[in-house]
Amino acid sequence: MVPAYVREKLSLYSYMIKRGKPAASMALQSRYVEDVRELLAQLGVSYKLQPLTDGWDTLWMYKHPHILDIIEQLPQAPKSSFDHWVLGKLYGYDEASISEFLLKLDRTP
């Protein structure tokens, strides 16, 4: 059975995606995958599961089919400004916030 905090997080992400957020992601213990699939079907949100590590998956939630194409082309770990920009857009951040993050990233040794 999926813990309550995971159900709440999925419900919140579903709400935000239905109202315009392009995508959301979270790490999910593999033992909860089947229960989460049922919950997401009830919530009416599209999703993709990607293996993360032993016993864990990354769950991506999205609304529009073209977002899945973008998710599938993302690098495992963002390295370039472009990678970070795309992730920022997927998570619904505005251009000023992404720019601020990239400027801080450039100053980090």
Side-chain angles (χ1 to χ4, degrees):
M1 182 168 180
V2 179
Y5 76 92
V6 173
R7 283 194 310 274
E8 290 171 12
K9 195 172 188 179
L10 293 173
S11 180
L12 175 63
Y13 283 173
S14 171
Y15 175 84
M16 293 185 331
I17 287 168
K18 288 177 180 178
R19 279 149 187 79
K21 182 179 174 95
S25 69
M26 64 184 280
L28 178 69
Q29 289 184 2
S30 302
R31 63 185 169 151
Y32 298 132
V33 165
E34 290 310 313
D35 291 337
V36 165
R37 285 181 197 272
E38 291 176 21
L39 181 57
L40 292 174
Q42 292 171 9
L43 293 171
V45 178
S46 299
Y47 66 92
K48 176 169 180 76
L49 287 159
Q50 296 175 321
L52 183 60
T53 187
D54 288 341
W56 289 85
D57 293 286
T58 299
L59 170 67
W60 283 94
M61 299 169 61
Y62 59 94
K63 181 176 181 179
H64 301 288
H66 71 278
I67 298 297
L68 177 58
D69 293 336
I70 295 167
I71 291 167
E72 290 177 340
Q73 293 182 44
L74 288 173
Q76 184 69 19
K79 295 179 181 123
S80 68
S81 293
F82 178 78
D83 295 345
H84 288 287
W85 179 83
V86 169
L87 278 173
K89 288 299 183 181
L90 275 178
Y91 290 133
Y93 287 97
D94 63 81
E95 204 63 44
S97 298
I98 295 169
S99 177
E100 183 180 323
F101 175 81
L102 290 171
L103 288 171
K104 287 180 182 177
L105 192 63
D106 283 343
R107 289 187 227 137
T108 305

